[in-house]
Amino acid sequence: LEWYPRDDEGYAGARVYRHGALRQREFPPVSASDFIDGEVVAGGRYVYSVSLLDAEGRPAPRSIPVEVSSPADWQANPSIQR
């Protein structure tokens, strides 16, 4: 999952949600604009959204949700730790 970094507008981090539940808390600096979900399974369907955080840690509204699917024959990379 990737998003456009917005550090030029005073954002200091981001939160990633999967199916509405918080998956990853903070990504300071916000220029770190990607997330790899290490718990995806073959044939799974997932809905993600992102919320940027201002300098005080207050979240902006969540992004429009994005639905993704993993191929049925997909295999996890055991080296992914994110």
Side-chain angles (χ1 to χ4, degrees):
L1 179 66
E2 292 182 277
W3 57 91
Y4 182 72
R6 301 300 300 253
D7 53 352
D8 61 324
E9 295 184 19
Y11 290 104
R15 292 180 179 165
V16 174
Y17 298 84
R18 184 174 83 181
H19 300 296
L22 186 62
R23 293 293 295 164
Q24 180 72 34
R25 273 196 107 53
E26 322 259 319
F27 285 95
V30 76
S31 58
S33 57
D34 66 344
F35 170 73
I36 297 173
D37 190 341
E39 297 179 9
V40 169
V41 297
R45 294 177 63 190
Y46 304 92
V47 178
Y48 294 97
S49 60
V50 176
S51 175
L52 298 178
L53 304 173
D54 68 13
E56 285 78 42
R58 293 181 298 239
R62 291 184 195 176
S63 66
I64 295 171
V66 175
E67 184 173 333
V68 296
S69 300
S70 60
D73 61 350
W74 181 82
Q75 292 185 12
N77 181 339
S79 66
I80 294 176
Q81 299 295 317
R82 295 169 103 179

